[in-house]
Amino acid sequence: MTIASIQEIKVSHKVLADYKYDINKVVHGYSNRTLYIDLGKLKIESKPVSQKMKDTFTGGKGFCLWLLWNGTKPSTKWDDPENELVFSSGPIGGITMYPGSGKVTVTTISPLTQSVVDSNGGGYFGPYLKFAGWDALVIQGKANQEVVIFIDGDSGQVTIEAAPLDPVDTHLVNSLLTKMYAKEEKDKRNVSVISAGQAAEYLPICGLNISYYDPKRDEVRYKQAARGGAGTVLRNKHIKAIVVRYSGLSANSNGVANMELLRKAGSRINKEISTFDASQNDMRHTGTPYLVEIMNRFDLLPTFNFKYGSHAESHKIAGDIWKKRFDHSGPDGCWYGCTMSCAHGVAHYHLRTGPYKGDAVFVDGPEYETLGGLGSNIGVFEPEDVLELNFYADTYGIDTISLGNSIAFAMECYELGIIDKEKTGGLELIWGNSDAAFALVHQMAKGEGFGVTVGQGVRAMKKIFAEKLGADPKIMQDIGMEIKGMEISEYISKESIAQQGGFALASKGAQHDEAWLIFMEMVHNQLPTFEDKAEALHYFPMWRTWFSLHGLCKLPWNDIIPESNKTASEPAKVPEHVENYTWLYEGVLGEKITPDEIIEQSEKVYNFQRLFNLRLGFGTREHDYPPYRAMGPVTTDEYESRLDLYDAELEGIGIKIDNLTTIEKVGALREYRENRYERLVDAVYKRRGWTINGIPTFETVKRLGIDYPEILNLIENNI
């Protein structure tokens, strides 16, 4: 593949619009302005951030949702020019004394779900954007040609530049633009690039790749804001990349109120990581792949389209394998000062397929979700095959969770005879056929073949297979592992009703960033009543929302555990770490905050997002149901794989099973579990202050201070 030289690309980068601004210091975590770009009009301007905006929406995801709400209408579709991409870090984001402080959140109207979606990712973009002078970046309109947006936090200039020769795939464009916009070799670390690969031109399941330069390895690496199709929106707007440069980073770039509080919190958790990480989850050497063995042991590892929760070959892609494969030649934090250091990768991997066959590349990952989605869930247990899929999914811009679930769904449909080799263009979609998976991924990138069908996601395939191939819509619904149009994260929730609610009630779709309650319920038996489950499904989504308001990663909260947690009254909350975050908040913003006030901050944004969904035609009870496979066994072989467990459950609720066939048992268990789920939803809605149809009440929005006239009219028209 011929790639233009940096010099050729520089010459081709004609400036279409530019904007100069004064570089102001960040004060107590805020720059107090947002950057607005209209690509269609080639307009760039600064807009103020009001105190009311900060008081109500905090930052990060809150700012993103508020700005998107005001820039769009109820009728706005994902590919309308007025749809926005909105980026924001948050007031705590960018500190260097505490691990996991480099996140950025992006929101947009999703091509996958048709509703509002938020996704967050690491890398350097979020902090650099803020330190360059902007609490948020809003991009609206569509360019009439391919462009790169460059935000120079050193010179105080924003440009929209023609980009006719720039490559599209992430591993090429992010590296090239890092070199091109760096003033010198050392300056590479001051550049961060956001891109999406060529598959984003054809598929709704594509995310964003956010870069950071790794000087130890001389690699431009990247993390993903993968969920919900923000990368598809980026390419629909004809953006090749967004680049930010900022070279003035210091320990106090946030203009903090009390540095000693930040150091106090950082010292405490860094000591824990140094002392306990190796004996707990070993994030610094293994990272999230440590979960594979644990999930398999507890029958929670999705296998064969979530049919089963374990597999005899899972050890081939478990943490110990990756610990040996990962390159440990340098630190692995994706933001400065992150001692969690979980962003591992494999160096010098030689590609075996596709347009870059024979190239030696650095593969970021695989993370647990990729191992679940593109490993066990499609029956692939060869590490080299997972790495190949991991690399190409990333560089093409495809979300590995949606990709894995979509391929798995297609494979099960192939097994059921709904599709065959004639329908797939000759691909034999049997479990474990990595060659077929490679072919699908490369087709997705080219916009051709059966790969384009699979790449539309599970919800679209359910409709296509039912309407065009005569598939039974009921079985499609039961085995199609998506909720609200978003493919489910890679955890089996069959035996955890709380996690079923955690997935199905999540604002953007079935993502685990709102609640992961499986162990609380199944292993530790901490949620015995519906009221207990509802309380957990109130607290944890609000608590986790707070991370995305402030530019924080949740892993340092509960992937390292202090000694004090052994005697904590509510160990699942990790109260000592909650205290750390109150110190961080006060240290940056200069205002004290209590754990209850943290939850209230998040409630404002969480309820606002629910109402945003409602404005777009969603956000009611009918959209809060999982496919039955997320609740229980759909098929007889699923039931029989855990026969003793399911038989005991039926007997425990008073059903005599002696004369029942397995099909009858499946039906009886289903009736019980579906009724049980309805009771859970009732309890959660009540706890959250929502109506029986899942709409925040007038009292709730008034209590939270989001009772704007448009919000009140929206509620009035939907109750």
Side-chain angles (χ1 to χ4, degrees):
M1 180 175 292
T2 303
I3 305 296
S5 69
I6 290 181
Q7 188 57 41
E8 289 172 320
I9 288 173
K10 279 183 178 180
V11 171
S12 74
H13 269 226
K14 177 184 176 183
V15 175
L16 305 174
D18 69 342
Y19 175 80
K20 295 186 182 300
Y21 65 95
D22 294 329
I23 302 172
N24 300 328
K25 289 184 178 180
V26 175
V27 178
H28 294 180
Y30 292 102
S31 67
N32 292 309
R33 58 188 176 183
T34 65
L35 176 61
Y36 173 79
I37 297 174
D38 187 321
L39 292 171
K41 298 177 181 177
L42 293 176
K43 182 167 91 172
I44 308 171
E45 62 182 348
S46 171
K47 296 186 178 183
V49 171
S50 69
Q51 187 60 47
K52 182 171 177 56
M53 182 173 162
K54 292 190 285 188
D55 291 342
T56 306
F57 295 101
T58 304
K61 182 165 101 169
F63 279 12
C64 288
L65 290 168
W66 176 241
L67 293 165
L68 182 65
W69 170 282
N70 286 291
T72 58
K73 301 188 293 287
S75 59
T76 302
K77 304 303 181 187
W78 78 269
D79 55 352
D80 288 340
E82 70 191 37
N83 187 22
E84 296 178 340
L85 280 168
V86 191
F87 301 85
S88 182
S89 172
I92 302 177
I95 63 172
T96 58
M97 289 68 67
Y98 201 88
S101 305
K103 288 278 193 171
V104 66
T105 294
V106 57
T107 65
T108 191
I109 295 174
S110 167
L112 183 64
T113 70
Q114 311 303 316
S115 188
V116 62
V117 67
D118 63 277
S119 189
N120 67 79
Y124 290 0
F125 189 88
Y128 283 179
L129 176 69
K130 180 170 62 171
F131 301 149
W134 308 104
D135 285 323
L137 166 64
V138 181
I139 303 173
Q140 197 169 38
K142 291 186 186 181
N144 62 12
Q145 59 184 297
E146 297 289 351
V147 298
V148 163
I149 296 169
F150 177 44
I151 303 163
D152 191 345
D154 288 353
S155 66
Q157 187 171 17
V158 181
T159 55
I160 303 171
E161 304 173 11
L165 302 181
D166 302 53
V168 176
D169 287 339
T170 286
H171 80 290
L172 298 177
V173 71
N174 283 28
S175 179
L176 186 145
L177 294 179
T178 298
K179 296 174 184 176
M180 180 170 143
Y181 286 104
K183 298 172 185 176
E184 57 185 3
E185 188 70 20
K186 290 182 179 179
D187 196 41
K188 288 181 182 178
R189 198 162 189 186
N190 301 321
V191 176
S192 181
V193 182
I194 289 182
S195 68
Q198 60 181 302
E201 297 168 16
Y202 309 106
L203 313 179
I205 61 172
C206 291
L208 300 170
N209 292 305
I210 308 166
S211 82
Y212 63 104
Y213 181 66
D214 181 342
K216 182 72 174 179
R217 300 177 177 89
D218 189 23
E219 293 283 352
V220 175
R221 302 179 60 183
Y222 38 94
K223 302 293 285 183
Q224 286 74 35
R227 309 246 58 199
T232 307
V233 178
L234 185 90
R235 292 299 297 129
N236 183 259
K237 292 184 177 297
H238 303 140
I239 302 171
K240 286 238 179 116
I242 309 167
V243 185
V244 63
R245 179 173 67 201
Y246 177 76
S247 64
L249 182 69
S250 72
N252 196 23
S253 288
N254 260 307
V256 306
N258 186 338
M259 183 64 74
E260 288 308 308
L261 276 176
L262 304 187
R263 289 179 177 141
K264 181 180 178 182
S267 176
R268 180 155 77 170
I269 195 166
N270 287 330
K271 183 177 179 181
E272 291 167 10
I273 292 172
S274 177
T275 305
F276 302 123
D277 178 61
S279 61
Q280 290 184 9
N281 296 326
D282 195 27
M283 298 296 284
R284 289 187 295 178
H285 298 99
T286 306
T288 59
Y290 85 87
L291 285 164
V292 171
E293 191 276 330
I294 296 172
M295 296 302 106
N296 190 73
R297 188 195 324 156
F298 285 96
D299 212 64
L300 300 171
L301 182 70
T303 306
F304 299 167
N305 195 32
F306 288 78
K307 204 176 208 183
Y308 312 114
S310 63
H311 195 280
E313 293 186 87
S314 66
H315 65 278
K316 293 181 178 179
I317 56 170
D320 287 346
I321 299 298
W322 299 108
K323 184 175 181 178
K324 296 171 185 175
R325 285 298 308 271
F326 287 148
D327 182 321
H328 298 292
S329 64
D332 280 320
C334 66
W335 174 242
Y336 290 85
C338 185
T339 51
M340 184 67 81
S341 296
C342 65
H344 304 300
V346 175
H348 309 298
Y349 175 73
H350 290 265
L351 295 166
R352 296 174 287 138
T353 68
Y356 308 111
K357 181 178 179 180
D359 288 0
V361 296
F362 190 98
V363 183
D364 278 288
E367 300 282 357
Y368 167 76
E369 296 291 336
T370 300
L371 294 169
L374 297 175
S376 61
N377 206 28
I378 63 173
V380 171
F381 296 98
E382 291 300 323
E384 300 299 303
D385 292 346
V386 176
L387 277 174
E388 188 89 5
L389 291 167
N390 185 156
F391 173 81
Y392 273 113
D394 285 352
T395 201
Y396 289 157
I398 310 171
D399 171 20
T400 58
I401 297 176
S402 286
L403 176 62
N405 287 15
S406 297
I407 295 175
F409 177 77
M411 284 181 167
E412 185 164 8
C413 288
Y414 190 93
E415 181 182 58
L416 293 171
I418 294 167
I419 55 177
D420 54 26
K421 288 179 74 171
E422 181 181 354
K423 303 291 191 307
T424 66
L427 297 177
E428 190 175 17
L429 296 184
I430 59 174
W431 301 116
N433 188 346
S434 54
D435 288 338
F438 299 152
L440 288 173
V441 171
H442 295 312
Q443 287 177 357
M444 291 176 191
K446 295 177 182 177
E448 63 186 29
F450 191 66
V452 176
T453 299
V454 177
Q456 299 310 302
V458 172
R459 182 165 70 176
M461 278 191 287
K462 290 193 300 185
K463 184 177 181 181
I464 292 168
F465 293 170
E467 292 181 355
K468 295 187 177 181
L469 303 180
D472 180 359
K474 183 176 180 298
I475 190 65
M476 295 288 92
Q477 176 59 29
D478 284 349
I479 68 172
M481 301 306 285
E482 58 83 18
I483 302 169
K484 299 181 173 76
M486 181 175 285
E487 285 72 24
I488 299 174
S489 298
E490 307 300 333
Y491 304 94
I492 297 284
S493 60
K494 285 187 176 89
E495 312 316 322
S496 172
I497 183 174
Q499 190 56 43
Q500 293 161 28
F503 282 147
L505 300 175
S507 299
K508 63 174 167 274
Q511 173 69 353
H512 61 286
D513 62 352
E514 281 198 16
W516 200 89
L517 303 173
I518 294 174
F519 269 33
M520 278 188 74
E521 184 172 41
M522 289 176 51
V523 179
H524 302 303
N525 299 313
Q526 294 169 326
L527 306 174
T529 69
F530 283 103
E531 289 72 23
D532 293 328
K533 300 179 204 304
E535 181 60 36
L537 283 167
H538 173 72
Y539 176 85
F540 287 102
M542 303 309 152
W543 170 241
R544 286 166 173 251
T545 292
W546 197 78
F547 289 91
S548 66
L549 302 184
H550 288 278
L552 301 170
C553 172
K554 72 95 183 167
L555 294 182
W557 160 56
N558 69 348
D559 276 88
I560 187 73
I561 300 297
E563 284 191 299
S564 64
N565 226 48
K566 297 175 183 177
T567 56
S569 59
E570 296 181 285
K573 294 182 179 180
V574 198
E576 184 178 300
H577 287 178
V578 174
E579 183 179 46
N580 285 352
Y581 290 109
T582 67
W583 293 347
L584 295 182
Y585 184 87
E586 183 182 352
V588 173
L589 282 82
E591 302 169 8
K592 290 185 179 294
I593 193 168
T594 67
D596 288 342
E597 288 168 339
I598 282 176
I599 299 305
E600 186 174 314
Q601 269 192 349
S602 295
E603 279 188 281
K604 295 176 183 182
V605 175
Y606 194 92
N607 280 270
F608 183 78
Q609 186 167 359
R610 181 73 174 189
L611 291 160
F612 202 152
N613 289 341
L614 185 65
R615 185 171 86 156
L616 292 173
F618 306 95
T620 52
R621 189 178 186 120
E622 66 181 299
H623 302 287
D624 287 346
Y625 288 89
Y628 183 66
R629 179 164 282 168
M631 300 170 69
V634 172
T635 63
T636 56
D637 51 344
E638 273 178 89
Y639 188 101
E640 289 170 354
S641 72
R642 304 198 74 185
L643 182 68
D644 292 343
L645 175 74
Y646 295 136
D647 278 357
E649 184 172 351
L650 288 176
E651 290 174 334
I653 59 175
I655 294 178
K656 296 181 179 180
I657 64 172
D658 292 345
N659 297 319
L660 295 182
T661 65
T662 302
I663 292 177
E664 289 170 331
K665 291 183 202 177
V666 169
L669 186 62
R670 179 171 187 150
E671 181 179 5
Y672 167 69
R673 290 195 172 188
E674 288 181 335
N675 288 335
R676 186 180 64 173
Y677 181 77
E678 297 287 358
R679 293 176 62 193
L680 174 74
V681 175
D682 288 343
V684 174
Y685 285 177
K686 180 179 179 181
R687 176 62 186 88
R688 291 182 177 177
W690 296 356
T691 70
I692 197 68
N693 196 31
I695 299 171
T697 65
F698 291 117
E699 293 78 12
T700 296
V701 297
K702 183 176 181 180
R703 174 177 66 85
L704 297 173
I706 56 172
D707 51 339
Y708 309 123
E710 189 177 355
I711 292 289
L712 297 177
N713 290 336
L714 184 64
I715 296 172
E716 178 70 30
N717 293 333
N718 284 277
I719 59 173

